[in-house]
Amino acid sequence: MSHDPNCLFCKIVAGQIPSRKVYEDDQLLAFHDIHPWAPVHVLIIPKLHIASMAELEDTHAGLMGQMAVLAPRLMRELGVTNGFRTVINTGQDGGQEVYHLHMHVMGGPRPWAKG
Ligand code: AMP
Ligand code: ZN
């Protein structure tokens, strides 16, 4: 399934739920997390509905690479100069709450609210 009508992040991709977008291309979307842990906290997601990292297949390797490459670029553009943290929560024990693959990218001066 490339789009899940019940998925929160698919609704954000479709524009049915608003988000504070920071980046968009054919494959990816990035937007500010609604409950930031850090002064800068964005989520990078594929537009394709992939429920979690546990569902990744070989064909997704390029997409994951694009997400990884986008993270430092967005941090630079958002003025983060002293390092950042990337987190991908997977499944129940991984603490995943939204089942559409996403990479948290957090930066900015400490202390942070969390993490
Ligand atoms: P995770 O626990 O890795 O699944 O994280 C899900 C993240 O999505 C949390 O950090 C939430 O704050 C964030 N989130 C949930 N709903 C929204 C939304 N409508 N817009 C932006 N971020 C959201
Ligand atoms: Zn989805």
Side-chain angles (χ1 to χ4, degrees), residues 30-88:
F31 52 92
H32 289 279
D33 195 292
I34 206 166
H35 294 126
W37 300 1
V40 176
H41 184 169
V42 299
L43 302 176
I44 300 176
I45 70 169
K47 289 187 167 177
L48 180 70
H49 180 80
I50 303 170
S52 82
M53 269 193 99
E55 274 72 42
L56 281 179
E57 296 172 6
D58 288 351
T59 53
H60 300 134
L63 198 55
M64 287 302 290
Q66 286 174 37
M67 288 170 68
V69 168
L70 182 59
R73 173 177 158 191
L74 290 185
M75 289 299 103
R76 273 195 303 276
E77 289 177 2
L78 292 168
V80 171
T81 56
N82 200 35
F84 55 88
R85 173 172 289 189
T86 48
V87 172
I88 302 178

Side-chain angles (χ1 to χ4, degrees), residues 2-4 7-11 47-50 99-100:
S2 64
H3 171 94
D4 177 347
C7 168
L8 177 66
F9 288 174
C10 282
K11 288 180 185 169
K47 289 187 167 177
L48 180 70
H49 180 80
I50 303 170
Y99 279 78
H100 180 127

